[in-house]
Every structure is written in C-alpha cells, then in structure tokens.
Amino acid sequence: MKSKHELIRHIDSLGIKYEFGVRSDFIGFPVRPLIIVYPRDENDVVDIVKIANEFHVPIVPWGAGTSLTGAVSCDGCVLIDMRGMNKILEVNTVDWYVRVQPGVVLDDLNRELNKHGFFFPPDPASHYMCTVGGIIATDAGGMRAVKYGTVKDWVLALKVVLPSGDVVKVGEALRKNRAGYDLVHLFVGSEGTLGIITEAWLRIMPLPRKQLRAFIIYLSNMESLARFVYEVRSRGIIPEFMEYMDYYSVKAVNEVFNSGLKETDGGLVFTMVEDDYSHELMNIALHVGEVHELLGNDINRMYGYRSRAGEAIKAVYGNFYSEDITVPISRLAEAIVRLREVSVKYGRPMPILAHIGDGNMHPHILFKPGEEKIAQEIYDEVARIAIELGGTISGEHGIGLQKKSLLYEQYARRGNIATLDLMRSIKRLIDPNNLMNPNKFIDQ
C-alpha cells in the first residue's frame, strides 16, 4: 500500500496550493481531511482526483461548508476546496443563461446578473456565502422556491470530473433538449457522490417588472398558520415567497439583530406578492392575524433577518440539528400539531423556520454537549412525521450522513426499495472504488 506521505508529495509536485487542518460544517459535523487542496482550474481537479484514485484515498468536494446534514464530513480524505474557481464566464441575455465556475458565491452571481437586468431565482438562506457548486450538489431551495422551484429547475448543463478523472459535459445550454437521458439531474443533488462540478450553465430570468408588495402577518397562534396557507393556495395566489418564523425564532432574531419584531405566540409570516394579488392576500391575512406592509429598506432588512435566522438560533440557543421535512399542504395542520407534541414530549423548545408556502419546515432540535444521542432521536421522530403524512425527510438540505437510515425508511414505507438498489447500481457504475464522498446517501 502506498503511503500517505507519498500522496502528499505527488500533490505537492502539481504546484497547487494545499494545507493541513480540520474543519466542521455549519452544524458541527467534523471534517478531518488528510490534506486540503485548492484547485485553480479544471485541470487541477483532474490531477487531484487521479492522484487520490491511485492512492485509494476518499475525495470530498467543499464549497462553503454550509451543509446541515454532514454531507462533507470525512476522515482522512482529500478535501478539494473549490472556492478558488470563482469566475463568471458568460452572461447570455438573449438565450437567458449564465455560465459559471463552481466557486462563485450566489450573492456575487446575482449582483452581476442584476447589472444586466436578470437574476437567478433560487435563494437558500446562506445565499451570502454558499457557492454555486454547493447549491447544485445539494439541489438547494430557499425562500423563492414556492414560486420558482429549487436549483434543479434552473440547471441546463454541467461539466463534471468523474471519480476516474475523466471529464464529461451533460446537458446543453438550451431550454429544450431531449437528446438522450437526462444526466444533468443525476448530478444535481448528488452531494458530491458521483463527481465534482467544474462548470455550470444556469437558466436566468429578467428581473420582475410588476410591482411587488411585502407584508408581515403576526399570528396569534400556530393553528391560524395552516388556515392562512390553505386559503392562499386554494385561491391560486402565487407569492414571490412565503416564510414562517415561530415565536422562538423571532425571539432569537430580536436578541441577536435587535430587529424589533413583535413576539407573538403564533410567530409571523413574511410574504411578498405581485400587486395584482396584494388586496386579496391582505383580506385573507386580516382573518388570521395582524398585518403590516413593509416598504423600501425595511423589506431588505426583513429578508436579511429571515436569511440569518438560523445563525441567530445558534447564537441564542447553542447547538442544534436542523430538520428539513416537507409535507403536503393538505397535511400541514396535522404536521404542526405533531411537531408541537414532540416539543412537549421532550420538554424543550423547537424553534421552527419554514418555507411555509410549499410545506417545507425546518424545526431546530436544540441540545447541549453530551445530548447528541437524544437530539438524534428527536430528529428522527420529526422526520418520521413527514414520512407518515406522505411527505419527505428532505426538501432541500439533502441526506448526507445524518439521514441515511431515514432515507431507507421513507423508501420502504412507499414500497420502493428497488429504487434504492438502482441508486446503488448507479454509484457502483460511476464510482466503482467508492472514493467520491463515500458513505453518504446509501452504502455501496
């Protein structure tokens, strides 16, 4: 067996920046690589992957470390930090796409697109730090998903370095393309288990021209939350986003950011709609709570509070696991009741953030050092609520390490174990040595 020191010497000979150290993701899952390397371009990625293959050392790509499920956790891997590959290569305002490298930060991408009158709709809460490669690898969602969908709906084509070191391009920079199997969406959401994205062609949209109006609805209780969402959906109102923050989340945001939000038992809904929908939405909202319209910079401030609410929860309450369940809107009321029951059962608050317009909820499982086991039990119990209500254990955060067994439970519940076997077959075909971000999703 070749020594790890020899592997390091091979990487050193490439002239690529590297270092040694440990990291952790946003939740705190450990990342203890053998070496951290910083490729400058696709050729560097190919060389690193080939060396890692030669030495049979696991390979894990790193974007910004905002994973919430242990998707980048590793021991003794070659950690490939993609942030140096951060060029916006082309903005095409006729064919409506942008071509980028994976290390581009999402906010930087939209700042550039805004200069041309365009934007890239998906907006995960970590938009100010997450990278394009990371959001593609996890099929991130965010606040605008209720109207625009998740990242998978906006990826046209990809260049990917496979575990063998070979480079493939999948897809075309076209809105319509039926030439062969849809391999683009095989890699979107694969969490780095099938290859490393080195270039992406993304759909873009012109900035909205219709006037948008933003509102905060303070709810007297959580029961009214489901009624509000039902009514909005049943009337065909399409919000730009519809976000929920419960009492504990609002309290944390007030404490950390001095935001001055009202702390009500039911929490608040932050939503934005086109002016055509605004009067109808206000009439619905007035039946469930206290309505305030936001203007000017107050909209951006509130958007920032919601985006960084997870940071506030961490600062105020300490360690947490962030759940990511999605349930059908028709089962939302049941889900809310059952989440409250779990909170009461374990005698601890469970701050909830939610992209409530599409039924995607993020209950935060709080724990102190040494309570990881009980926290995981609560986490699993919350996930099973989604499974039992016909939902899913992950709407946008992915599977990583933390939800592998839950993924099996969801597929078993639906009588769909054959699909997991198909996933294993795909993994074995593309990564026969099981080196690309191993032990995530499913065991090979």
Side-chain angles (χ1 to χ4, degrees):
M1 181 177 177
K2 297 181 178 180
S3 73
K4 294 177 180 179
H5 296 293
E6 192 175 351
L7 177 146
I8 293 168
R9 284 198 297 272
H10 275 66
I11 289 178
D12 182 64
S13 70
L14 298 175
I16 300 171
K17 179 184 174 184
Y18 66 89
E19 65 180 1
F20 306 102
V22 297
R23 295 180 176 179
S24 64
D25 64 15
F26 183 76
I27 292 297
F29 284 95
V31 183
R32 294 183 283 259
L34 172 67
I35 187 171
I36 304 168
V37 289
Y38 296 86
R40 299 158 295 191
D41 53 33
E42 183 177 270
N43 291 331
D44 283 350
V45 176
V46 169
D47 290 339
I48 295 164
V49 168
K50 286 183 175 179
I51 290 172
N53 256 301
E54 180 184 347
F55 286 83
H56 295 280
V57 174
I59 306 156
V60 177
W62 175 278
T66 56
S67 168
L68 298 167
T69 61
V72 290
S73 180
C74 75
D75 270 304
C77 67
V78 173
L79 191 71
I80 305 181
D81 190 317
M82 303 297 290
R83 288 177 291 181
M85 295 175 60
N86 59 0
K87 293 184 178 63
I88 298 173
L89 302 170
E90 179 186 3
V91 177
N92 189 317
T93 58
V94 175
D95 295 317
W96 288 14
Y97 72 80
V98 61
R99 181 165 64 96
V100 298
Q101 291 183 321
V104 174
V105 172
L106 186 55
D107 270 3
D108 292 341
L109 172 62
N110 270 316
R111 273 190 283 270
E112 180 61 29
L113 292 175
N114 290 172
K115 296 176 186 176
H116 300 270
F118 283 76
F119 77 121
F120 178 68
D123 62 335
S126 56
H127 53 83
Y128 55 93
M129 62 185 295
C130 65
T131 63
V132 167
I135 66 172
I136 295 172
T138 57
D139 184 22
M143 290 186 261
R144 293 196 190 102
V146 65
K147 182 174 183 178
Y148 296 103
T150 61
V151 168
K152 70 176 180 293
D153 302 303
W154 297 89
V155 181
L156 298 171
L158 297 169
K159 283 185 78 176
V160 182
V161 177
L162 299 177
S164 62
D166 296 319
V167 180
V168 295
K169 179 173 182 275
V170 293
E172 299 289 349
L174 300 168
R175 187 68 181 93
K176 293 182 176 180
N177 174 35
R178 274 296 297 114
Y181 291 122
D182 182 3
L183 297 180
V184 173
H185 291 95
L186 178 63
F187 291 98
V188 176
S190 64
E191 298 182 32
T193 61
L194 300 178
I196 299 175
I197 297 162
T198 55
E199 203 167 312
W201 287 257
L202 306 174
R203 286 177 58 209
I204 57 176
M205 287 283 287
L207 288 166
R209 295 190 179 186
K210 287 191 174 183
Q211 181 182 351
L212 299 172
R213 297 177 67 181
F215 303 90
I216 291 179
I217 301 112
Y218 291 106
L219 305 171
S220 57
N221 55 66
M222 284 188 70
E223 286 77 8
S224 59
L225 174 63
R227 293 202 305 273
F228 175 69
V229 178
Y230 292 166
E231 192 67 20
V232 169
R233 296 270 297 199
S234 65
R235 294 200 191 185
I237 298 173
I238 306 173
E240 193 79 3
F241 53 77
M242 184 188 290
E243 295 296 299
Y244 176 69
M245 298 168 60
D246 78 342
Y247 166 81
Y248 296 103
S249 303
V250 173
K251 189 173 186 299
V253 166
N254 280 341
E255 186 169 332
V256 173
F257 299 117
N258 194 28
S259 55
L261 298 171
K262 187 174 180 179
E263 297 174 9
T264 61
D265 289 343
L268 65 82
V269 173
F270 171 44
T271 188
M272 178 181 281
V273 294
E274 292 178 358
D275 187 45
D276 292 350
Y277 293 117
S278 61
H279 295 293
E280 191 172 4
L281 182 135
M282 283 184 69
N283 287 334
I284 298 169
L286 287 168
H287 285 89
V288 298
E290 179 184 318
V291 184
H292 296 264
E293 183 170 5
L294 298 176
L295 301 171
N297 288 332
D298 286 341
I299 299 173
N300 294 330
R301 275 193 286 270
M302 185 62 211
Y303 187 89
Y305 297 147
R306 171 60 188 90
S307 295
R308 304 187 70 175
E311 292 180 41
I313 291 170
K314 190 170 187 176
V316 171
Y317 299 108
N319 297 328
F320 65 74
Y321 291 146
S322 178
E323 258 293 4
D324 177 40
I325 60 171
T326 300
V327 299
I329 297 297
S330 58
R331 309 296 295 274
L332 188 57
E334 294 171 78
I336 290 170
V337 169
R338 293 186 62 178
L339 287 175
R340 186 185 295 112
E341 289 172 350
V342 171
S343 179
V344 171
K345 173 182 174 181
Y346 290 94
R348 62 183 71 197
M350 188 188 295
I352 298 175
L353 302 172
H355 310 305
I356 203 65
D358 54 22
N360 185 197
M361 293 184 285
H362 302 314
H364 290 65
I365 317 303
L366 309 178
F367 64 92
K368 297 176 183 177
E371 294 183 336
E372 288 82 0
K373 184 177 180 181
I374 185 67
Q376 187 63 48
E377 289 178 11
I378 300 170
Y379 185 90
D380 292 353
E381 191 166 333
V382 168
R384 291 185 184 111
I385 292 172
I387 294 173
E388 291 164 11
L389 294 179
T392 181
I393 60 172
S394 181
E396 57 186 14
H397 291 172
I399 303 303
L401 283 174
Q402 198 171 25
K403 291 195 171 184
K404 282 173 59 177
S405 62
L406 290 164
L407 182 69
Y408 179 89
E409 287 187 38
Q410 178 171 320
Y411 277 76
R413 177 93 177 195
R414 312 282 157 77
N416 209 9
I417 294 300
T419 301
L420 287 178
D421 293 335
L422 180 59
M423 291 182 193
R424 291 189 184 94
S425 297
I426 292 170
K427 171 70 169 172
R428 283 193 292 266
L429 177 66
I430 296 176
D431 185 17
N433 296 323
N434 194 27
L435 295 179
M436 192 64 71
N437 203 9
N439 306 316
K440 312 301 193 306
F441 262 114
I442 51 176
D443 292 319
Q444 187 167 319

